[in-house]
Amino acid sequence: MTFAMGPNNYGKSGIRLVRVGRESARHELRDLTVHTALSGDLDATHYTGDNTGVLPTDSQKNTVYAFARGGIGAIEAFAERLARHFVDATPSITTARVRIEEHGWTRIGDHSFTRGEGGELRTTEALYDGETVRIRSGVRDLLLLNTTDSEFNGFLADEYTTLPETDDRILATAVTATWDYQAEDPDDAFYDHAFTKARGALLTAFADTYSLSLQQTLHAVGERILKAIPEVAEVRLSLPNRHHYLFDLGRFGLDNPGVVFQAGDLPYGLIEGTVRRETA
Ligand SMILES: O=c1[nH]c(=O)c2[nH]c(=O)[nH]c2[nH]1
């Protein structure tokens, strides 16, 4: 019996990169986490430990910092430059996937910034196979909450169902969304503009959709992003339901007309789906 390698890749994860732009006294700040993943003709290293085709993950990390010296631009374009380099300059490597998360800092002065811990990320993934590049962009952990205009009722009930129907609840989620661009020669300005439009569409769709379920909200959000950006063919959404339970104050002789809630933790509902442009 032989034991063959299946699909595999290797790279450096969690490359923390901060770049300060000093072109003027009003400094620019970029804060990224980069992940590289390379694959190709790497049977020898797996079968015999022959590393002649292995570009060390340490070198991959160094490449990220070296490329940042000349400027980053849109994370999508930076990821593409790196992915192309790893494949085009390394004979043993046939595919590169470079993922980037951008941590946004808010300016409070010419050289001063603030950022909450955790928080929303702008994300991208460039996948290059030596011929074509696929760019996927998105957001992660974009926290949204509506204090009303959310119901959940009329659902299937079996012998284990205890959930009461509600015609007014808090709807809260932490959005992860990704979408691919089909654009001719996209540049930094295209990516930044498209991201701003997608994020804006997502926020307004969440805010002004009267929700009968998180599933319905998911479709409304995806539809709004597709309408806002013609270069996007489909949107993938992952929406954890951050439950908020109306706290029973009756035990203390108090009413609770939708005022006091207990924010839930685990378990949580997870609503996921893809919204596509229908072609006739
Ligand atoms: O929007 C919701 N969708 C569900 O599928 C579901 N299930 C549940 O218990 N609460 C909710 N809320």
Side-chain angles (χ1 to χ4, degrees):
M1 191 162 10
T2 55
F3 302 93
M5 281 299 297
N8 59 86
N9 58 79
Y10 80 108
K12 197 68 110 188
S13 266
I15 303 166
R16 295 284 295 113
L17 162 65
V18 172
R19 186 181 192 281
V20 178
R22 297 171 179 271
E23 287 70 30
S24 78
R26 191 173 167 81
H27 289 173
E28 298 295 331
L29 177 68
R30 303 296 298 279
D31 184 345
L32 313 183
T33 302
V34 183
H35 314 269
T36 64
L38 310 185
S39 55
D41 179 11
L42 295 165
D43 279 355
T45 189
H46 291 102
Y47 291 140
T48 68
D50 170 357
N51 293 328
T52 48
V54 178
L55 179 72
T57 66
D58 190 65
S59 314
Q60 298 174 37
K61 173 206 69 185
N62 291 344
T63 306
V64 171
Y65 289 107
F67 272 44
R69 175 64 180 93
I72 289 170
I75 53 172
E76 289 84 356
F78 187 56
E80 177 174 342
R81 284 200 293 283
L82 285 162
R84 284 185 182 277
H85 166 78
F86 288 128
V87 173
D88 293 345
T90 321
S92 55
I93 299 304
T94 52
T95 303
R97 189 177 70 234
V98 176
R99 292 189 299 116
I100 301 181
E101 291 119 28
E102 176 154 25
H103 314 267
W105 288 83
T106 305
R107 181 183 293 283
I108 56 171
D110 280 349
H111 53 257
S112 305
F113 302 84
T114 178
R115 168 162 90 85
E117 266 314 310
E120 175 189 349
L121 301 171
R122 173 174 166 179
T123 63
T124 195
E125 176 186 299
L127 183 65
Y128 177 59
D129 64 3
E131 279 173 23
T132 54
V133 181
R134 191 204 67 200
I135 301 290
R136 178 166 287 176
S137 293
V139 287
R140 190 188 309 159
D141 287 339
L142 170 56
L143 268 47
L144 298 175
L145 187 150
N146 285 327
T147 53
T148 189
D149 282 3
S150 168
E151 302 182 12
F152 187 61
N153 49 48
F155 44 81
L156 189 157
D158 66 9
E159 66 267 45
Y160 301 116
T161 301
T162 59
L163 185 74
E165 304 206 330
T166 176
D167 59 7
D168 192 6
R169 65 173 181 174
I170 286 180
L171 186 69
T173 188
V175 179
T176 296
T178 61
W179 53 84
D180 294 1
Y181 293 117
Q182 268 104 43
E184 294 276 327
D185 289 330
D187 56 9
D188 289 344
F190 168 83
Y191 287 123
D192 288 344
H193 182 63
F195 177 79
T196 303
K197 272 206 299 192
R199 186 178 181 280
L202 200 166
L203 297 187
T204 47
F206 183 83
D208 65 26
T209 298
Y210 188 102
S211 177
L212 298 175
S213 67
L214 201 46
Q215 287 89 331
Q216 184 211 8
T217 295
L218 181 149
H219 179 265
V221 164
E223 178 178 290
R224 204 77 72 91
I225 294 173
L226 292 172
K227 281 183 177 161
I229 314 175
E231 293 86 354
V232 171
E234 67 176 43
V235 179
R236 284 161 297 277
L237 288 149
S238 176
L239 304 181
N241 194 351
R242 295 236 171 146
H243 304 295
H244 287 70
Y245 305 106
L246 192 69
F247 197 79
D248 178 10
L249 297 175
R251 295 169 289 176
F252 318 118
L254 299 170
D255 68 349
N256 188 1
V259 176
V260 178
F261 294 85
Q262 181 171 21
D265 180 10
L266 299 172
Y268 57 89
L270 184 59
I271 313 298
E272 301 188 295
T274 301
V275 187
R276 302 205 162 98
R277 214 175 273 289
E278 286 271 90
T279 42

